[in-house]
Amino acid sequence: MSFLWPDCLWFLPALALLPAAYVWLLRRRSKRALHYSSLALVRDALAGRNWRRHVPPAMFLLACAGLLLAAARPVARVPLPWARSSIMLAMDVSLSMRVSDVLPTRLAAAQESAKLFLRELPKDIEVGLVTFAGSSQVAQRATLDRASLVTSIDGFQMQMGTAVGDAIVLCLAELFPEQGIDLGDMTFGSRPRGRSLDEKAKPPPRQITPVAPGSFDSAAIILLSDGRRTTGIDTLEAAKMAADRGVRIYVVGLGTVDGDTATPDGLAIYMKLDEPTLREVARMTGGEYFHAGTAEALRSVYEKLGSRVQVLTRDTELTGVVALVSAVVAIAAAALSLLWSGSRLY
């Protein structure tokens, strides 16, 4: 557990004054002279009840300690469902995806498996869709609307080229919009250019402190490709960006590893699956690599991925819970004090 306002914890030692004040009040009260006709009778009547008068003050002390802890804003890693959990699907739509070694075609098999994955995924996890070939586009921003995602998946248009690194960077830009990740600047450089007077100047990219690979549990990237990078940002450079942000990349390699499948347009060299690079992407980011050579294997891969992304652990602020428990304890202390002391409200 950590605290957002740890300075408030310095007030905790002051709570030691409350027990001291309580003991002082008890001693002061005992000095009062009380005369009864039979002191032994009173002592017998109170036998076995003396401990109860100390319970409400002890509970009040515990409630004060809890309220001070709440003021320090405690944060702990708690497994909770979270509507803002996001998965980015990055899917290859290059021309090689029309090959039929995976029936009916690689693209059709990938589309059906992606839709199956969406059906199996918990409904409170947002999913975004990025397509890539010679360039990368956001086909659907992260959303809970599965119907919109299915429509986007059915509307894929194939292109030439394979920009795997661009797809990873574009997914990161969608997951971290506040960081100012700009694929265009990374591709063409950030040289000064003319802009309209109405266009706002873009803030510079935010510098980040690298974290442990795979430590960001709020999002993941699922990358599907059947070839090797032919253009765009270096794949491992993009993977390093994801690793520095703690985002896992689960990679699905689709199709033949040897590249000896029949090629209708002489694209054999581009159809060879770059398995070493894709495996390295998964390793660098703390994800996993899967090879899916058939439609059935591809569906099973997506089912496995669905089971892996359901459990999320987040840093959650517990201020409200601690304050509520402390308030309940304080109210219970007051109620027991009234009940056991026999006090009456007038």
Side-chain angles (χ1 to χ4, degrees):
M1 180 179 290
S2 59
F3 298 90
L4 298 180
W5 294 350
D7 290 343
C8 293
L9 297 177
W10 288 107
F11 291 100
L12 284 175
L15 289 180
L17 298 177
L18 292 180
Y22 179 67
V23 172
W24 177 76
L25 288 174
L26 288 179
R27 290 180 177 177
R28 181 183 178 188
R29 184 177 180 183
S30 65
K31 292 180 180 179
R32 296 178 180 177
L34 299 177
H35 301 284
Y36 294 92
S37 58
S38 175
L39 189 59
L41 182 61
V42 175
R43 187 178 296 113
D44 292 339
L46 294 179
R49 298 185 183 180
N50 287 335
W51 64 270
R52 296 201 310 189
R53 63 175 180 166
H54 302 301
V55 172
M59 294 176 64
F60 179 73
L61 177 65
L62 183 62
C64 289
L67 290 173
L68 284 178
L69 286 176
R73 299 183 63 186
V75 174
R77 295 189 65 80
V78 180
L80 290 173
W82 199 273
R84 291 297 298 177
S85 298
S86 301
I87 292 176
M88 295 299 300
L89 283 175
M91 301 188 66
D92 192 340
V93 293
S94 58
L95 291 177
S96 58
M97 291 289 286
R98 61 183 173 175
V99 175
S100 59
D101 58 339
V102 178
L103 296 176
T105 64
R106 293 179 180 181
L107 182 62
Q111 289 172 314
E112 290 305 314
S113 298
K115 288 186 280 189
L116 174 64
F117 173 71
L118 292 176
R119 288 196 295 269
E120 299 294 331
L121 198 66
K123 300 301 183 183
D124 58 351
I125 294 180
E126 293 183 335
V127 180
L129 182 63
V130 168
T131 60
F132 66 96
S135 60
S136 299
Q137 296 86 28
V138 178
Q140 176 63 59
R141 295 191 179 277
T143 179
L144 297 175
D145 186 356
R146 301 294 193 249
S148 298
L149 288 163
V150 170
T151 300
S152 299
I153 291 172
D154 288 335
F156 285 168
Q157 298 293 323
M158 289 186 288
Q159 307 169 23
M160 293 185 62
T162 307
V164 181
D166 288 10
I168 295 174
V169 172
L170 195 55
C171 288
L172 294 175
E174 288 294 301
L175 293 174
F176 303 99
E178 74 283 356
Q179 293 184 6
I181 301 173
D182 192 301
L183 180 59
D185 287 348
M186 294 182 63
T187 304
F188 305 108
S190 55
R191 296 186 296 254
R193 60 180 178 84
R195 59 185 178 89
S196 68
L197 296 177
D198 296 331
E199 182 182 352
K200 294 182 180 179
K202 293 189 301 183
R206 186 174 129 194
Q207 298 298 317
I208 67 164
T209 301
V211 298
S215 60
F216 187 72
D217 293 329
S218 301
I221 297 173
I222 298 176
L223 173 69
L224 184 145
S225 180
D226 72 337
R228 61 180 62 240
R229 181 184 73 91
T230 61
T231 186
I233 297 169
D234 182 74
T235 303
L236 296 184
E237 179 185 345
K240 178 65 165 56
M241 292 178 60
D244 288 344
R245 290 162 175 80
V247 177
R248 289 185 175 90
I249 301 180
Y250 297 93
V251 185
V252 180
L254 179 63
T256 178
V257 178
D258 299 326
D260 56 0
T261 304
T263 56
D265 296 318
L267 301 175
I269 187 172
Y270 301 112
M271 293 179 61
K272 184 175 180 180
L273 182 63
D274 187 7
E275 235 185 6
T277 300
L278 297 179
R279 287 185 183 277
E280 182 63 12
V281 168
R283 187 200 65 79
M284 287 176 60
T285 61
E288 291 186 60
Y289 173 80
F290 306 90
H291 177 256
T294 65
E296 290 74 17
L298 182 58
R299 283 193 291 271
S300 67
V301 165
Y302 273 106
E303 290 171 358
K304 292 176 182 177
L305 290 173
S307 66
R308 280 170 170 77
V309 296
Q310 289 180 26
V311 179
L312 297 174
T313 302
R314 291 176 172 271
D315 287 332
T316 304
E317 187 173 343
L318 304 178
T319 301
V321 176
V322 176
L324 177 62
V325 172
S326 301
V328 171
V329 172
I331 294 172
L336 290 177
S337 179
L338 290 173
L339 178 64
W340 288 343
S341 67
S343 300
R344 297 291 186 270
L345 295 176
Y346 296 95

